Amino acid sequence: MILVSGPLKLRVKISLLNEKSVFLKGISIHDENPLVEGRLRTEGDMRMMLEWAKDLGCNFVRLAHYTHNEKMIRLADEMGLMVWAEIPVYWTISWENEATYQNAENQLLAAIERDKNRASVIIWSVGNETPVTEARNKFMGNLVSKVRSLDDSRLVAAALEVEREGYTVTVDDPLGAKLDLASFNEYGGWYWDKPGELSKYTFDIHFDKPVVITEFGGGALAGFHGVKKTMWSEEHQEFIYEEQLKMLNKIDGLRGMTPWILVDFKSPRRQHPVYQNFWNRKGLISETGEKKKAYFVLQNYYESLD
């Protein structure tokens, strides 16, 4: 990965791979085996997940929201997949607690020390969806500085906070000024508004940097079908993806995405007894390996970018 500065002397303006501009065709992945309860245990488990990502058309994976097994990184090297590597700084934590900061910094140091020579790792992420406060800005900013002191050869990012007013999504999280990407999560059509309304939205991004959408999507129970407005149906998830991709294509500077998520995964917070049953159903593939209709929407989109 070669980094080229732009006219405003930003750290990164364009990303090149083998001297060619690259769009990061990605997907988010958890370290969880959908077929056998528990974590990915063997190289075969991990290879299966990355093969599914490659079949989807990906050249990039976001290993969220913590440091994954070293074998996963080595397999990404072997299989030619670029990697977003992340530490578990997530939502609201004790921003002013020095021990909490040291914990985060130690995890960052361990990840970079272990994987700094892995060609697949192109992005170090310092966190995900952390609400903006002065204490948080200082905490996260210090992590960014620490990354740069340890490895100044790669991009530094995080999933930033966004705001909505009317049909405008604003990205002006102050942490973005310190990062190399304008990267953020958004769940239009699922947690906010309806899929059919997404075409009305525009993005006001306050950073002249490459844009990477780190999460979007919606839930569907594999095998449950209905019309496109039927919640939890494969058709509804498919509709969300169709409208999301139309909306995101209007963003100037869009250079990649890692929708949430490759495979359904266990989640104690997802308690609907019919459609969830303690599974997060945002996967494009079910816990039995069944590809949902939205999988093919994203696959076709990625194929169109070749």
Side-chain angles (χ1 to χ4, degrees), residues 175-190:
L175 181 62
K178 297 179 179 290
L179 300 174
D180 296 322
L181 302 175
S183 44
F184 55 91
N185 303 344
E186 58 83 14
Y187 280 96
W190 186 250

Side-chain angles (χ1 to χ4, degrees), residues 2-197:
I2 301 172
L3 310 183
V4 181
S5 297
L8 299 181
K9 296 185 179 180
L10 299 172
R11 180 175 173 82
V12 175
K13 187 68 174 172
I14 304 170
S15 296
L16 304 178
L17 179 65
N18 297 330
E19 300 184 352
K20 295 182 180 179
S21 177
V22 61
F23 188 93
L24 300 176
K25 299 184 290 185
I27 194 70
S28 296
I29 295 178
H30 261 316
D31 183 19
E32 182 173 326
N33 191 330
L35 305 181
V36 180
E37 187 170 352
R39 299 179 66 179
L40 300 169
R41 296 175 177 84
T42 68
E43 180 178 315
D45 295 341
M46 298 172 202
R47 189 179 292 276
M48 173 185 71
M49 298 288 276
L50 295 181
E51 288 286 2
W52 284 350
K54 292 205 73 169
D55 181 67
L56 181 60
C58 295
N59 59 17
F60 176 57
V61 291
R62 180 188 183 208
L63 301 183
H65 293 297
Y66 39 80
T67 302
H68 287 224
N69 192 304
E70 184 177 6
K71 291 179 182 177
M72 193 72 157
I73 308 294
R74 289 178 177 271
L75 282 172
D77 274 2
E78 174 192 323
M79 298 168 68
L81 286 163
M82 294 175 281
V83 169
W84 166 302
E86 192 161 276
I87 59 170
V89 177
Y90 188 78
W91 291 356
T92 299
I93 59 177
S94 299
W95 303 115
E96 298 183 60
N97 186 313
E98 181 59 26
T100 302
Y101 177 79
Q102 287 302 321
N103 186 325
E105 186 178 282
N106 288 341
Q107 292 193 60
L108 189 62
L109 189 153
I112 293 174
E113 182 63 26
R114 191 192 75 181
D115 295 328
K116 63 185 178 183
N117 294 322
R118 302 263 67 88
S120 57
V121 177
I122 64 166
I123 297 167
W124 300 118
S125 170
V126 297
N128 176 70
E129 291 183 352
T130 53
V132 176
T133 65
E134 286 300 318
R136 169 269 198 178
N137 295 345
K138 179 180 177 182
F139 185 111
M140 300 292 282
N142 287 342
L143 288 179
V144 173
S145 297
K146 188 64 177 180
V147 175
R148 300 213 194 283
S149 73
L150 296 169
D151 179 8
D152 64 357
S153 68
R154 290 176 169 88
L155 306 175
V156 186
L160 298 172
E161 288 290 279
V162 301
E163 298 178 353
R164 288 182 296 108
E165 184 173 349
Y167 288 111
T168 301
V169 179
T170 301
V171 184
D172 64 355
D173 183 334
L175 181 62
K178 297 179 179 290
L179 300 174
D180 296 322
L181 302 175
S183 44
F184 55 91
N185 303 344
E186 58 83 14
Y187 280 96
W190 186 250
Y191 290 133
W192 52 266
D193 220 327
K194 299 176 182 178
E197 294 289 298

Side-chain angles (χ1 to χ4, degrees), residues 172-243:
D172 64 355
D173 183 334
L175 181 62
K178 297 179 179 290
L179 300 174
D180 296 322
L181 302 175
S183 44
F184 55 91
N185 303 344
E186 58 83 14
Y187 280 96
W190 186 250
Y191 290 133
W192 52 266
D193 220 327
K194 299 176 182 178
E197 294 289 298
L198 296 185
S199 62
K200 299 178 182 179
Y201 281 85
T202 60
F203 288 79
D204 181 16
I205 300 172
H206 290 206
F207 308 105
D208 185 14
K209 302 179 181 184
V211 177
V212 175
I213 311 301
T214 37
E215 291 180 29
F216 70 84
L221 178 63
F224 175 60
H225 295 283
V227 299
K228 64 183 182 181
K229 293 184 179 180
T230 305
M231 287 287 291
W232 300 108
S233 70
E234 289 193 35
E235 287 74 13
H236 187 67
Q237 186 188 43
E238 177 185 44
F239 186 34
I240 290 171
Y241 268 77
E242 290 170 344
E243 297 306 307

